[in-house]
Amino acid sequence: MATSRTGTSQWLNTARKVLRDAQDNGQTKCVYCSHRLNYQDRRAFNGAQVDHIIPHSKGGTDDPSNLVVCCRQCNISKGNRTAPKTKSILARQPLKTSRKW
């Protein structure tokens, strides 16, 4: 049976270190959408998760220089792209309305 790459102890230690460093440096907002990060409950929509800048499937490494901390919603919407879907980011901005009567 094949195992998950993200389930290895090496990845878990790296992710834990990146999260700890981000929290120690005072990172409280997602790098993509600027929502407040929740370091206690990582399963929440704004839970802090480690994400690859260049996805592993596109040749990115597990080196800490290729990792950022973002919210769960952006991490899921990003998938294996280099940036999250614009729809998830635009949904947080106010709508512009035009009233030309």
Side-chain angles (χ1 to χ4, degrees):
M1 175 195 320
T3 59
S4 171
R5 177 187 57 80
T6 57
T8 63
S9 62
Q10 181 180 359
W11 166 253
L12 294 175
N13 289 336
T14 303
R16 205 173 296 127
K17 182 184 180 314
V18 169
L19 283 170
R20 190 176 345 109
D21 289 346
Q23 197 170 13
D24 290 344
N25 291 335
Q27 181 181 351
T28 59
K29 297 188 179 218
C30 173
V31 294
Y32 298 122
C33 68
S34 298
H35 261 92
R36 190 164 198 62
L37 292 173
N38 183 353
Y39 285 96
Q40 282 71 39
D41 184 14
R42 296 198 189 122
R43 304 278 294 166
F45 78 96
N46 64 338
Q49 292 191 345
V50 178
D51 183 39
H52 290 85
I53 297 170
I54 299 171
H56 196 266
S57 62
K58 306 242 177 173
T61 63
D62 289 339
D63 189 63
S65 63
N66 188 39
L67 301 173
V68 293
V69 176
C70 64
C71 69
R72 178 180 162 94
Q73 189 173 5
C74 287
N75 192 12
I76 290 172
S77 74
K78 184 177 175 235
N80 69 342
R81 292 182 294 277
T82 54
K85 291 181 183 177
T86 56
K87 182 178 179 182
S88 65
I89 294 172
L90 293 177
R92 295 183 182 100
Q93 295 177 352
L95 295 175
K96 292 181 181 178
T97 58
S98 170
R99 293 199 171 183
K100 293 182 181 180
W101 299 63

